[in-house]
mmCIF file of all heavy atoms in Angstrom:
data_model
loop_
_atom_site.group_PDB
_atom_site.id
_atom_site.type_symbol
_atom_site.label_atom_id
_atom_site.label_comp_id
_atom_site.label_asym_id
_atom_site.label_seq_id
_atom_site.Cartn_x
_atom_site.Cartn_y
_atom_site.Cartn_z
ATOM 1 N N MET A 1 97.410 103.438 112.877
ATOM 2 C CA MET A 1 98.258 102.515 112.166
ATOM 3 C C MET A 1 98.783 101.371 113.118
ATOM 4 O O MET A 1 99.055 101.696 114.235
ATOM 5 C CB MET A 1 99.433 103.207 111.569
ATOM 6 C CG MET A 1 100.407 102.246 110.756
ATOM 7 S SD MET A 1 101.841 102.983 110.123
ATOM 8 C CE MET A 1 101.143 103.898 108.802
ATOM 9 N N ALA A 2 98.746 100.194 112.607
ATOM 10 C CA ALA A 2 99.284 99.043 113.495
ATOM 11 C C ALA A 2 100.745 99.268 113.821
ATOM 12 O O ALA A 2 101.648 99.633 112.993
ATOM 13 C CB ALA A 2 99.076 97.780 112.684
ATOM 14 N N LYS A 3 101.083 98.945 115.078
ATOM 15 C CA LYS A 3 102.553 99.097 115.622
ATOM 16 C C LYS A 3 103.207 97.769 115.286
ATOM 17 O O LYS A 3 104.309 97.722 115.065
ATOM 18 C CB LYS A 3 102.484 99.430 117.079
ATOM 19 C CG LYS A 3 102.098 100.860 117.237
ATOM 20 C CD LYS A 3 102.170 101.141 118.672
ATOM 21 C CE LYS A 3 101.704 102.465 118.935
ATOM 22 N NZ LYS A 3 101.782 102.926 120.473
ATOM 23 N N ASP A 4 102.447 96.711 115.435
ATOM 24 C CA ASP A 4 102.922 95.327 115.380
ATOM 25 C C ASP A 4 102.410 94.562 114.108
ATOM 26 O O ASP A 4 101.305 94.330 114.043
ATOM 27 C CB ASP A 4 102.670 94.457 116.640
ATOM 28 C CG ASP A 4 103.236 95.103 117.874
ATOM 29 O OD1 ASP A 4 104.471 95.415 117.954
ATOM 30 O OD2 ASP A 4 102.578 95.127 118.882
ATOM 31 N N VAL A 5 103.203 94.490 113.133
ATOM 32 C CA VAL A 5 102.868 93.900 111.898
ATOM 33 C C VAL A 5 103.566 92.375 111.806
ATOM 34 O O VAL A 5 104.756 92.301 111.988
ATOM 35 C CB VAL A 5 103.312 94.586 110.666
ATOM 36 C CG1 VAL A 5 102.782 93.738 109.357
ATOM 37 C CG2 VAL A 5 102.650 95.967 110.724
ATOM 38 N N LEU A 6 102.637 91.308 111.896
ATOM 39 C CA LEU A 6 103.235 89.985 111.835
ATOM 40 C C LEU A 6 103.196 89.338 110.386
ATOM 41 O O LEU A 6 102.324 89.770 109.584
ATOM 42 C CB LEU A 6 102.330 89.131 112.730
ATOM 43 C CG LEU A 6 102.258 89.571 114.147
ATOM 44 C CD1 LEU A 6 101.314 88.598 114.964
ATOM 45 C CD2 LEU A 6 103.598 89.528 114.804
ATOM 46 N N CYS A 7 104.249 88.553 110.170
ATOM 47 C CA CYS A 7 104.354 87.910 108.819
ATOM 48 C C CYS A 7 104.923 86.630 109.022
ATOM 49 O O CYS A 7 106.001 86.430 109.690
ATOM 50 C CB CYS A 7 105.242 88.880 107.925
ATOM 51 S SG CYS A 7 105.495 88.211 106.361
ATOM 52 N N GLU A 8 104.477 85.687 108.378
ATOM 53 C CA GLU A 8 105.126 84.270 108.344
ATOM 54 C C GLU A 8 105.929 83.857 107.127
ATOM 55 O O GLU A 8 106.309 82.797 107.052
ATOM 56 C CB GLU A 8 103.900 83.271 108.587
ATOM 57 C CG GLU A 8 103.212 83.409 109.939
ATOM 58 C CD GLU A 8 102.118 82.335 110.121
ATOM 59 O OE1 GLU A 8 101.958 81.508 109.175
ATOM 60 O OE2 GLU A 8 101.487 82.440 111.137
ATOM 61 N N VAL A 9 106.106 84.801 106.301
ATOM 62 C CA VAL A 9 106.830 84.670 105.088
ATOM 63 C C VAL A 9 108.418 84.750 105.378
ATOM 64 O O VAL A 9 108.964 85.926 105.134
ATOM 65 C CB VAL A 9 106.340 85.519 103.956
ATOM 66 C CG1 VAL A 9 107.092 85.237 102.671
ATOM 67 C CG2 VAL A 9 104.838 85.420 103.742
ATOM 68 N N ASN A 10 108.928 83.737 105.861
ATOM 69 C CA ASN A 10 110.375 83.880 106.244
ATOM 70 C C ASN A 10 111.291 84.009 105.030
ATOM 71 O O ASN A 10 112.594 84.196 105.313
ATOM 72 C CB ASN A 10 110.728 82.767 107.198
ATOM 73 C CG ASN A 10 110.762 81.402 106.650
ATOM 74 O OD1 ASN A 10 110.390 81.326 105.521
ATOM 75 N ND2 ASN A 10 110.957 80.347 107.472
ATOM 76 N N SER A 11 110.841 83.945 103.827
ATOM 77 C CA SER A 11 111.760 84.061 102.634
ATOM 78 C C SER A 11 111.719 85.548 102.238
ATOM 79 O O SER A 11 112.414 85.854 101.444
ATOM 80 C CB SER A 11 111.158 83.198 101.580
ATOM 81 O OG SER A 11 109.941 83.608 101.217
ATOM 82 N N CYS A 12 111.037 86.498 102.989
ATOM 83 C CA CYS A 12 111.091 87.912 102.769
ATOM 84 C C CYS A 12 112.270 88.560 103.509
ATOM 85 O O CYS A 12 112.470 88.282 104.684
ATOM 86 C CB CYS A 12 109.807 88.436 103.171
ATOM 87 S SG CYS A 12 109.604 90.274 102.850
ATOM 88 N N LYS A 13 112.903 89.569 102.825
ATOM 89 C CA LYS A 13 114.067 90.285 103.556
ATOM 90 C C LYS A 13 113.602 90.998 104.780
ATOM 91 O O LYS A 13 114.368 91.244 105.637
ATOM 92 C CB LYS A 13 114.753 90.983 102.505
ATOM 93 C CG LYS A 13 114.144 92.370 102.228
ATOM 94 C CD LYS A 13 115.160 93.060 101.278
ATOM 95 C CE LYS A 13 114.931 94.644 101.346
ATOM 96 N NZ LYS A 13 115.907 95.372 100.590
ATOM 97 N N TYR A 14 112.247 91.270 104.863
ATOM 98 C CA TYR A 14 111.859 92.165 105.969
ATOM 99 C C TYR A 14 111.265 91.267 107.168
ATOM 100 O O TYR A 14 110.917 91.741 108.234
ATOM 101 C CB TYR A 14 110.564 93.000 105.522
ATOM 102 C CG TYR A 14 111.004 94.003 104.560
ATOM 103 C CD1 TYR A 14 110.502 93.913 103.241
ATOM 104 C CD2 TYR A 14 111.937 95.056 104.846
ATOM 105 C CE1 TYR A 14 110.811 94.837 102.254
ATOM 106 C CE2 TYR A 14 112.263 95.934 103.843
ATOM 107 C CZ TYR A 14 111.800 95.862 102.562
ATOM 108 O OH TYR A 14 112.194 96.649 101.690
ATOM 109 N N TRP A 15 111.337 89.884 106.981
ATOM 110 C CA TRP A 15 110.922 88.991 108.084
ATOM 111 C C TRP A 15 111.919 88.960 109.181
ATOM 112 O O TRP A 15 113.137 88.979 108.957
ATOM 113 C CB TRP A 15 110.741 87.617 107.548
ATOM 114 C CG TRP A 15 110.380 86.508 108.431
ATOM 115 C CD1 TRP A 15 109.015 86.250 108.759
ATOM 116 C CD2 TRP A 15 111.105 85.782 109.286
ATOM 117 N NE1 TRP A 15 109.087 85.318 109.794
ATOM 118 C CE2 TRP A 15 110.301 85.031 110.084
ATOM 119 C CE3 TRP A 15 112.492 85.596 109.363
ATOM 120 C CZ2 TRP A 15 110.777 83.992 110.990
ATOM 121 C CZ3 TRP A 15 113.012 84.662 110.296
ATOM 122 C CH2 TRP A 15 112.123 84.009 111.130
ATOM 123 N N ALA A 16 111.464 88.869 110.463
ATOM 124 C CA ALA A 16 112.389 88.795 111.525
ATOM 125 C C ALA A 16 111.859 87.712 112.538
ATOM 126 O O ALA A 16 110.682 87.422 112.437
ATOM 127 C CB ALA A 16 112.451 90.175 112.266
ATOM 128 N N PRO A 17 112.759 87.150 113.339
ATOM 129 C CA PRO A 17 112.374 86.223 114.261
ATOM 130 C C PRO A 17 111.070 86.650 115.055
ATOM 131 O O PRO A 17 110.929 87.765 115.443
ATOM 132 C CB PRO A 17 113.558 85.997 115.230
ATOM 133 C CG PRO A 17 114.606 86.394 114.325
ATOM 134 C CD PRO A 17 114.185 87.557 113.489
ATOM 135 N N GLY A 18 110.169 85.757 115.401
ATOM 136 C CA GLY A 18 108.910 86.023 116.085
ATOM 137 C C GLY A 18 107.863 86.316 115.048
ATOM 138 O O GLY A 18 106.887 86.934 115.436
ATOM 139 N N ASN A 19 108.133 86.142 113.807
ATOM 140 C CA ASN A 19 107.195 86.394 112.572
ATOM 141 C C ASN A 19 106.856 87.856 112.670
ATOM 142 O O ASN A 19 105.741 88.334 112.373
ATOM 143 C CB ASN A 19 105.876 85.590 112.689
ATOM 144 C CG ASN A 19 106.155 84.186 112.274
ATOM 145 O OD1 ASN A 19 107.150 83.918 111.606
ATOM 146 N ND2 ASN A 19 105.369 83.213 112.840
ATOM 147 N N GLU A 20 107.857 88.785 112.916
ATOM 148 C CA GLU A 20 107.697 90.295 112.875
ATOM 149 C C GLU A 20 108.010 90.761 111.436
ATOM 150 O O GLU A 20 109.052 90.237 110.773
ATOM 151 C CB GLU A 20 108.521 91.047 113.945
ATOM 152 C CG GLU A 20 108.111 90.618 115.318
ATOM 153 C CD GLU A 20 108.941 91.385 116.398
ATOM 154 O OE1 GLU A 20 109.835 92.177 116.098
ATOM 155 O OE2 GLU A 20 108.748 91.136 117.562
ATOM 156 N N CYS A 21 107.497 91.756 110.955
ATOM 157 C CA CYS A 21 107.798 92.388 109.755
ATOM 158 C C CYS A 21 108.558 93.693 110.099
ATOM 159 O O CYS A 21 108.105 94.544 110.843
ATOM 160 C CB CYS A 21 106.557 92.707 108.974
ATOM 161 S SG CYS A 21 106.945 93.686 107.483
ATOM 162 N N HIS A 22 109.757 93.848 109.630
ATOM 163 C CA HIS A 22 110.540 95.066 109.883
ATOM 164 C C HIS A 22 110.634 96.047 108.769
ATOM 165 O O HIS A 22 111.494 96.926 108.638
ATOM 166 C CB HIS A 22 111.962 94.593 110.271
ATOM 167 C CG HIS A 22 112.098 94.080 111.632
ATOM 168 N ND1 HIS A 22 113.248 93.749 112.270
ATOM 169 C CD2 HIS A 22 111.091 93.772 112.528
ATOM 170 C CE1 HIS A 22 112.946 93.370 113.520
ATOM 171 N NE2 HIS A 22 111.628 93.309 113.692
ATOM 172 N N ALA A 23 109.676 95.934 107.765
ATOM 173 C CA ALA A 23 109.596 97.029 106.728
ATOM 174 C C ALA A 23 109.118 98.225 107.299
ATOM 175 O O ALA A 23 108.336 98.332 108.197
ATOM 176 C CB ALA A 23 108.621 96.483 105.662
ATOM 177 N N SER A 24 109.553 99.443 106.674
ATOM 178 C CA SER A 24 109.164 100.733 107.201
ATOM 179 C C SER A 24 107.756 101.032 106.740
ATOM 180 O O SER A 24 107.047 101.858 107.493
ATOM 181 C CB SER A 24 110.154 101.774 106.756
ATOM 182 O OG SER A 24 110.154 101.865 105.242
ATOM 183 N N SER A 25 107.163 100.466 105.874
ATOM 184 C CA SER A 25 105.889 100.611 105.418
ATOM 185 C C SER A 25 105.376 99.387 104.813
ATOM 186 O O SER A 25 106.036 98.474 104.260
ATOM 187 C CB SER A 25 105.674 101.816 104.523
ATOM 188 O OG SER A 25 106.371 101.629 103.205
ATOM 189 N N ILE A 26 104.085 99.147 104.608
ATOM 190 C CA ILE A 26 103.450 97.919 103.914
ATOM 191 C C ILE A 26 102.473 98.379 102.839
ATOM 192 O O ILE A 26 101.772 99.314 103.040
ATOM 193 C CB ILE A 26 102.638 97.121 104.969
ATOM 194 C CG1 ILE A 26 103.461 96.693 106.232
ATOM 195 C CG2 ILE A 26 102.082 95.816 104.502
ATOM 196 C CD1 ILE A 26 104.613 95.901 105.974
ATOM 197 N N TYR A 27 102.512 97.697 101.783
ATOM 198 C CA TYR A 27 101.748 98.050 100.651
ATOM 199 C C TYR A 27 100.992 96.716 100.180
ATOM 200 O O TYR A 27 101.672 95.806 99.766
ATOM 201 C CB TYR A 27 102.552 98.516 99.465
ATOM 202 C CG TYR A 27 101.872 98.898 98.283
ATOM 203 C CD1 TYR A 27 100.569 99.543 98.343
ATOM 204 C CD2 TYR A 27 102.358 98.612 96.985
ATOM 205 C CE1 TYR A 27 99.918 99.906 97.194
ATOM 206 C CE2 TYR A 27 101.709 98.964 95.869
ATOM 207 C CZ TYR A 27 100.520 99.719 95.895
ATOM 208 O OH TYR A 27 99.880 100.064 94.711
ATOM 209 N N VAL A 28 99.638 96.775 100.346
ATOM 210 C CA VAL A 28 98.889 95.597 100.011
ATOM 211 C C VAL A 28 97.835 95.948 98.893
ATOM 212 O O VAL A 28 97.325 97.106 98.875
ATOM 213 C CB VAL A 28 97.983 95.128 101.260
ATOM 214 C CG1 VAL A 28 97.155 93.896 100.947
ATOM 215 C CG2 VAL A 28 99.094 94.761 102.340
ATOM 216 N N VAL A 29 97.726 95.125 97.991
ATOM 217 C CA VAL A 29 96.844 95.422 96.757
ATOM 218 C C VAL A 29 95.883 94.235 96.456
ATOM 219 O O VAL A 29 96.096 93.129 96.980
ATOM 220 C CB VAL A 29 97.619 95.694 95.499
ATOM 221 C CG1 VAL A 29 98.554 96.866 95.737
ATOM 222 C CG2 VAL A 29 98.482 94.485 95.096
ATOM 223 N N ASN A 30 94.747 94.506 95.709
ATOM 224 C CA ASN A 30 93.895 93.551 95.196
ATOM 225 C C ASN A 30 94.760 92.709 94.163
ATOM 226 O O ASN A 30 95.420 93.213 93.425
ATOM 227 C CB ASN A 30 92.752 94.106 94.526
ATOM 228 C CG ASN A 30 91.561 94.372 95.332
ATOM 229 O OD1 ASN A 30 91.458 93.876 96.516
ATOM 230 N ND2 ASN A 30 90.633 95.162 94.732
ATOM 231 N N ASN A 31 94.448 91.327 94.186
ATOM 232 C CA ASN A 31 95.055 90.568 93.107
ATOM 233 C C ASN A 31 93.944 90.124 92.128
ATOM 234 O O ASN A 31 94.242 89.234 91.220
ATOM 235 C CB ASN A 31 95.778 89.373 93.734
ATOM 236 C CG ASN A 31 94.932 88.351 94.316
ATOM 237 O OD1 ASN A 31 93.753 88.393 94.281
ATOM 238 N ND2 ASN A 31 95.642 87.361 95.055
ATOM 239 N N ARG A 32 92.869 90.747 92.134
ATOM 240 C CA ARG A 32 91.752 90.412 91.246
ATOM 241 C C ARG A 32 91.346 91.841 90.644
ATOM 242 O O ARG A 32 91.584 92.754 91.178
ATOM 243 C CB ARG A 32 90.636 89.701 91.924
ATOM 244 C CG ARG A 32 91.041 88.591 93.011
ATOM 245 C CD ARG A 32 90.784 87.289 92.190
ATOM 246 N NE ARG A 32 91.437 86.296 93.080
ATOM 247 C CZ ARG A 32 91.125 85.108 93.075
ATOM 248 N NH1 ARG A 32 89.972 84.720 92.540
ATOM 249 N NH2 ARG A 32 91.686 84.305 93.779
ATOM 250 N N ASN A 33 90.379 91.725 89.677
ATOM 251 C CA ASN A 33 89.812 92.937 89.086
ATOM 252 C C ASN A 33 88.579 93.369 89.719
ATOM 253 O O ASN A 33 87.912 94.306 89.209
ATOM 254 C CB ASN A 33 89.544 92.659 87.629
ATOM 255 C CG ASN A 33 90.838 92.499 86.760
ATOM 256 O OD1 ASN A 33 91.822 92.970 87.089
ATOM 257 N ND2 ASN A 33 90.794 91.649 85.723
ATOM 258 N N LYS A 34 88.292 92.781 90.918
ATOM 259 C CA LYS A 34 87.151 93.257 91.624
ATOM 260 C C LYS A 34 87.549 93.579 93.024
ATOM 261 O O LYS A 34 88.696 93.387 93.446
ATOM 262 C CB LYS A 34 86.064 92.162 91.666
ATOM 263 C CG LYS A 34 86.571 90.927 92.345
ATOM 264 C CD LYS A 34 85.471 89.845 92.387
ATOM 265 C CE LYS A 34 85.955 88.681 93.121
ATOM 266 N NZ LYS A 34 84.970 87.730 93.549
ATOM 267 N N GLN A 35 86.629 94.076 93.832
ATOM 268 C CA GLN A 35 86.983 94.454 95.210
ATOM 269 C C GLN A 35 87.183 93.097 96.001
ATOM 270 O O GLN A 35 86.454 92.215 95.801
ATOM 271 C CB GLN A 35 85.794 95.207 95.867
ATOM 272 C CG GLN A 35 86.074 95.600 97.218
ATOM 273 C CD GLN A 35 84.926 96.586 97.723
ATOM 274 O OE1 GLN A 35 83.946 96.953 97.082
ATOM 275 N NE2 GLN A 35 85.026 96.907 99.077
ATOM 276 N N ALA A 36 88.274 93.154 96.813
ATOM 277 C CA ALA A 36 88.659 91.982 97.669
ATOM 278 C C ALA A 36 87.559 91.621 98.716
ATOM 279 O O ALA A 36 87.107 92.699 99.309
ATOM 280 C CB ALA A 36 89.952 92.119 98.261
ATOM 281 N N SER A 37 87.252 90.387 98.967
ATOM 282 C CA SER A 37 86.249 90.073 99.862
ATOM 283 C C SER A 37 86.745 89.193 101.002
ATOM 284 O O SER A 37 86.329 88.930 101.892
ATOM 285 C CB SER A 37 85.030 89.322 99.269
ATOM 286 O OG SER A 37 85.449 88.185 98.613
ATOM 287 N N ASN A 38 88.090 88.775 100.740
ATOM 288 C CA ASN A 38 88.838 88.029 101.770
ATOM 289 C C ASN A 38 90.374 88.219 101.641
ATOM 290 O O ASN A 38 90.837 88.710 100.531
ATOM 291 C CB ASN A 38 88.359 86.562 101.821
ATOM 292 C CG ASN A 38 88.742 85.753 100.443
ATOM 293 O OD1 ASN A 38 89.987 85.714 100.050
ATOM 294 N ND2 ASN A 38 87.758 85.369 99.798
ATOM 295 N N SER A 39 91.164 87.718 102.503
ATOM 296 C CA SER A 39 92.675 87.953 102.484
ATOM 297 C C SER A 39 93.260 87.260 101.246
ATOM 298 O O SER A 39 94.327 87.598 100.824
ATOM 299 C CB SER A 39 93.270 87.571 103.699
ATOM 300 O OG SER A 39 92.986 86.149 104.001
ATOM 301 N N GLY A 40 92.751 86.093 100.877
ATOM 302 C CA GLY A 40 93.203 85.322 99.737
ATOM 303 C C GLY A 40 93.192 86.159 98.399
ATOM 304 O O GLY A 40 93.875 85.738 97.470
ATOM 305 N N GLU A 41 92.451 87.167 98.409
ATOM 306 C CA GLU A 41 92.282 87.956 97.280
ATOM 307 C C GLU A 41 93.168 89.258 97.144
ATOM 308 O O GLU A 41 92.896 90.157 96.492
ATOM 309 C CB GLU A 41 90.795 88.326 96.984
ATOM 310 C CG GLU A 41 89.992 87.166 96.681
ATOM 311 C CD GLU A 41 88.477 87.546 96.515
ATOM 312 O OE1 GLU A 41 88.065 88.637 96.907
ATOM 313 O OE2 GLU A 41 87.789 86.561 96.114
ATOM 314 N N THR A 42 94.111 89.248 98.099
ATOM 315 C CA THR A 42 95.046 90.429 98.255
ATOM 316 C C THR A 42 96.541 89.861 98.146
ATOM 317 O O THR A 42 96.741 88.695 98.406
ATOM 318 C CB THR A 42 94.891 91.231 99.620
ATOM 319 O OG1 THR A 42 95.166 90.245 100.600
ATOM 320 C CG2 THR A 42 93.507 91.579 99.672
ATOM 321 N N ASP A 43 97.328 90.760 97.838
ATOM 322 C CA ASP A 43 98.855 90.474 97.806
ATOM 323 C C ASP A 43 99.724 91.525 98.474
ATOM 324 O O ASP A 43 99.357 92.812 98.359
ATOM 325 C CB ASP A 43 99.387 90.420 96.329
ATOM 326 C CG ASP A 43 98.891 89.221 95.566
ATOM 327 O OD1 ASP A 43 98.771 88.245 96.081
ATOM 328 O OD2 ASP A 43 98.498 89.431 94.395
ATOM 329 N N CYS A 44 100.795 91.162 99.120
ATOM 330 C CA CYS A 44 101.649 92.196 99.817
ATOM 331 C C CYS A 44 102.824 92.551 98.779
ATOM 332 O O CYS A 44 103.551 91.716 98.358
ATOM 333 C CB CYS A 44 102.257 91.484 100.926
ATOM 334 S SG CYS A 44 103.459 92.613 101.824
ATOM 335 N N LYS A 45 102.698 93.730 98.383
ATOM 336 C CA LYS A 45 103.650 94.355 97.225
ATOM 337 C C LYS A 45 104.945 94.746 98.040
ATOM 338 O O LYS A 45 105.956 94.961 97.373
ATOM 339 C CB LYS A 45 103.158 95.416 96.549
ATOM 340 C CG LYS A 45 101.975 95.144 95.611
ATOM 341 C CD LYS A 45 102.532 94.169 94.478
ATOM 342 C CE LYS A 45 101.534 93.947 93.390
ATOM 343 N NZ LYS A 45 101.798 93.176 92.426
ATOM 344 N N THR A 46 105.019 94.621 99.341
ATOM 345 C CA THR A 46 106.214 94.973 100.017
ATOM 346 C C THR A 46 107.221 93.889 100.016
ATOM 347 O O THR A 46 108.294 94.102 100.307
ATOM 348 C CB THR A 46 105.819 95.268 101.562
ATOM 349 O OG1 THR A 46 104.797 96.267 101.691
ATOM 350 C CG2 THR A 46 106.961 95.827 102.291
ATOM 351 N N PHE A 47 106.776 92.669 99.815
ATOM 352 C CA PHE A 47 107.735 91.525 99.790
ATOM 353 C C PHE A 47 108.793 91.663 98.853
ATOM 354 O O PHE A 47 108.739 92.090 97.730
ATOM 355 C CB PHE A 47 106.870 90.250 99.313
ATOM 356 C CG PHE A 47 107.755 89.049 99.120
ATOM 357 C CD1 PHE A 47 108.067 88.259 100.151
ATOM 358 C CD2 PHE A 47 108.192 88.726 97.836
ATOM 359 C CE1 PHE A 47 108.911 87.145 100.006
ATOM 360 C CE2 PHE A 47 109.032 87.603 97.656
ATOM 361 C CZ PHE A 47 109.387 86.844 98.686
ATOM 362 N N GLU A 48 110.046 91.333 99.415
ATOM 363 C CA GLU A 48 111.235 91.269 98.699
ATOM 364 C C GLU A 48 112.014 89.957 99.039
ATOM 365 O O GLU A 48 112.116 89.742 100.323
ATOM 366 C CB GLU A 48 112.121 92.521 98.942
ATOM 367 C CG GLU A 48 111.575 93.750 98.219
ATOM 368 C CD GLU A 48 112.551 94.919 98.288
ATOM 369 O OE1 GLU A 48 113.823 94.642 98.218
ATOM 370 O OE2 GLU A 48 112.153 96.033 98.558
ATOM 371 N N PRO A 49 112.440 89.214 98.134
ATOM 372 C CA PRO A 49 113.115 87.894 98.638
ATOM 373 C C PRO A 49 114.398 88.191 99.315
ATOM 374 O O PRO A 49 115.091 89.246 98.986
ATOM 375 C CB PRO A 49 113.291 87.216 97.257
ATOM 376 C CG PRO A 49 113.219 88.238 96.147
ATOM 377 C CD PRO A 49 112.301 89.361 96.774
ATOM 378 N N LYS A 50 114.761 87.333 100.197
ATOM 379 C CA LYS A 50 115.936 87.481 100.804
ATOM 380 C C LYS A 50 117.113 86.977 99.851
ATOM 381 O O LYS A 50 116.805 86.084 99.065
ATOM 382 C CB LYS A 50 116.131 86.433 102.057
ATOM 383 C CG LYS A 50 115.409 86.826 103.230
ATOM 384 C CD LYS A 50 115.601 85.780 104.431
ATOM 385 C CE LYS A 50 114.844 86.157 105.645
ATOM 386 N NZ LYS A 50 115.030 85.268 106.658
ATOM 387 N N ILE A 51 118.197 87.624 99.898
ATOM 388 C CA ILE A 51 119.240 87.324 98.963
ATOM 389 C C ILE A 51 120.336 86.523 99.699
ATOM 390 O O ILE A 51 120.637 86.638 100.755
ATOM 391 C CB ILE A 51 119.807 88.607 98.211
ATOM 392 C CG1 ILE A 51 118.747 89.285 97.457
ATOM 393 C CG2 ILE A 51 120.998 88.289 97.440
ATOM 394 C CD1 ILE A 51 119.081 90.505 96.721
#
């Protein structure tokens, strides 16, 4: 498992300075009805907006 997870989505509550993700786990899914062939066809379900 990756120890360092980077994220540039600074509107997410798990985002931290240095583009680090501080979520305890990450959940990524296909955003299409077929098998993903590139990162643009996936979505991070871990995202939660900052309040």
Side-chain angles (χ1 to χ4, degrees):
M1 180 184 285
K3 291 182 180 181
D4 298 314
V5 178
L6 300 178
C7 177
E8 295 182 0
V9 184
N10 63 3
S11 59
C12 181
K13 79 177 204 173
Y14 299 114
W15 179 89
N19 289 334
E20 293 182 5
C21 177
H22 284 191
S24 60
S25 63
I26 306 295
Y27 180 40
V28 179
V29 299
N30 270 345
N31 67 10
R32 313 264 168 145
N33 290 331
K34 61 178 186 163
Q35 185 172 352
S37 60
N38 62 60
S39 62
E41 295 177 349
T42 63
D43 288 319
C44 178
K45 292 292 187 180
T46 307
F47 173 84
E48 289 187 39
K50 286 184 183 177
I51 297 177

